[in-house]
Amino acid sequence: MNTVGNSFSSIFQEIQLPQQKKLSAVDRSSNQLLFPRVFVPSIDIDFQGFISEVKSNKALLEKYLLSCGAILLRGFPVSTASNFNDVVEALGFKEFPYIGGAASRTHVTGRIFTANKAPPENIITFHHEMSNLPEYPSKLYFFCETEPANGGETPIVFSNHIYQQILKKHPDFVLKLEELGLTYKRFLGNEDDDSKPVGRSWKSSFMTDDKSIAEERAAKMCMKLEWMEDGVNTITGPLPAFKVDGNTGNKTWFNAMFTAHAWKDSANGIAYGNGTPLPSSIVDDCHKLCHQECVAIPWERGDVLLLDNLAVLHSRRSFQPPRRILASLAI
């Protein structure tokens, strides 16, 4: 661990970890930024003092978040889900409801819920949160309540960098995605299934057990429903495969292609917007690029990770329990 020298307020000291990478600044200058930026306390401080500093410096924190897409706060006095909720509230951004999301989660307290509860041996592929829907959160917050015994990192990768790499390697594929977009097909059962990375039921996904309300909420998400005895088939799209980040002007690889491709079975999957299949070998190669370019910092108890959802893809590696990561979404 090296001290970088940058700091703001009286408590946030920037450090450098061996897993970080350097990225070109999003303003297209010759500067390079560490990804993610990592801050530790420069002085001893109690929890209420920390919350006060977060509130006082939330504009700077957002500025840093938008400049590189990810900030890790390490070593601060955050130890419980309630503490984490206070941090989320102190950051001052409106809550984004998890309506339509695919992962099975449990509400913990306030604005906090569990991260994806898929079994520890499962690898969760790179994705932007809820990018298979027309509305999505702009910011994600993660908190390590219990660090993994082994593994369990949350790898992150800068989306514009991945877009540029894929454009260079598979230009015709990118052109076709630009032209046609993507359509997602997903089956939602009547009950949650925690054994699957995308095992959320329709009742949890739409936050209701009333089918008419579910249909209203689905329509707002450009989602068509086909009711079955054991659940509902959903079709969403076509949706764009890329977006332009309004904060930077950068084009981002903003879709759930890798996750949906991993779902692929008779009830779930992804296709071009006109319904034709995606080339599996190219999809796999694009996902391989994410693995090659990602940053994976091992979790430590008390870590708080802030992500710009439009700028950064994230995933999850398999792990040896225990591991408890909590999450929150914001606009």
Side-chain angles (χ1 to χ4, degrees), residues 253-267:
W253 178 267
F254 193 83
N255 57 67
M257 180 187 297
F258 306 132
T259 304
H261 187 67
W263 302 341
K264 192 169 56 176
D265 55 32
S266 59

Side-chain angles (χ1 to χ4, degrees), residues 242-254:
F242 319 119
K243 289 196 178 297
V244 175
D245 185 341
N247 296 306
T248 65
N250 286 335
K251 186 166 283 191
T252 64
W253 178 267
F254 193 83

Side-chain angles (χ1 to χ4, degrees), residues 6-44:
N6 299 321
S7 62
F8 61 96
S9 85
S10 60
I11 69 160
F12 295 93
Q13 175 67 51
E14 187 166 10
I15 64 168
Q16 185 171 353
L17 299 178
Q19 296 89 355
Q20 288 169 285
K21 292 189 176 182
K22 288 186 176 180
L23 297 174
S24 296
V26 295
D27 60 7
R28 300 181 179 85
S29 69
S30 59
N31 297 326
Q32 286 193 317
L33 298 174
L34 287 170
F35 177 78
R37 298 186 75 165
V38 182
F39 292 93
V40 298
S42 58
I43 59 172
D44 288 335

Side-chain angles (χ1 to χ4, degrees), residues 98-104 132-133 185-193 196-208 211 214-215 218 221 223-236 263 265 267-268:
Y98 192 57
I99 297 175
S104 181
N132 60 315
L133 299 171
K185 179 183 177 183
R186 186 159 62 94
F187 175 76
L188 307 176
N190 290 326
E191 305 297 333
D192 289 345
D193 184 352
K196 299 177 181 177
V198 287
R200 205 169 185 222
S201 69
W202 68 264
K203 297 173 187 176
S204 294
S205 289
F206 299 118
M207 296 187 178
T208 182
K211 290 184 178 180
E215 287 172 352
M221 294 184 280
M223 186 183 293
K224 298 176 183 178
L225 303 185
E226 179 187 348
W227 293 100
M228 315 288 286
E229 184 176 343
D230 55 346
V232 61
N233 287 320
T234 73
I235 298 177
T236 309
W263 302 341
D265 55 32
N268 301 280

Side-chain angles (χ1 to χ4, degrees), residues 39-173:
F39 292 93
V40 298
S42 58
I43 59 172
D44 288 335
I45 191 167
D46 63 16
F47 179 70
Q48 290 306 319
F50 171 58
I51 291 298
S52 177
E53 291 290 334
V54 170
K55 290 179 178 178
S56 298
N57 292 280
K58 60 185 179 182
L60 264 177
L61 283 167
E62 183 180 22
K63 177 183 176 182
Y64 288 143
L65 181 60
L66 294 178
S67 73
C68 77
I71 295 174
L72 176 63
L73 302 178
R74 171 163 284 181
F76 292 94
V78 186
S79 58
T80 67
S82 179
N83 287 165
F84 178 43
N85 189 69
D86 288 346
V87 174
V88 169
E89 294 284 2
L91 287 165
F93 300 103
K94 185 178 178 182
E95 181 177 15
F96 189 96
Y98 192 57
I99 297 175
S104 181
R105 306 178 186 268
T106 299
H107 179 255
V108 179
T109 186
R111 295 171 57 170
I112 309 306
F113 47 83
T114 57
N116 195 314
K117 296 195 296 181
E121 64 272 14
N122 287 170
I123 296 172
I124 297 173
T125 54
F126 281 95
H127 62 286
H128 292 274
E129 197 66 34
M130 301 176 74
S131 56
N132 60 315
L133 299 171
E135 295 186 4
Y136 43 83
S138 64
K139 298 172 182 66
L140 312 181
Y141 310 130
F142 292 106
F143 165 63
C144 180
E145 188 176 55
T146 304
E147 65 186 67
N150 187 48
E153 298 93 342
T154 299
I156 56 176
V157 66
F158 199 64
S159 189
N160 173 253
H161 177 67
I162 287 301
Y163 171 81
Q164 296 294 338
Q165 294 295 311
I166 294 173
L167 178 62
K168 190 182 304 181
K169 193 169 184 181
H170 301 290
D172 291 342
F173 179 52

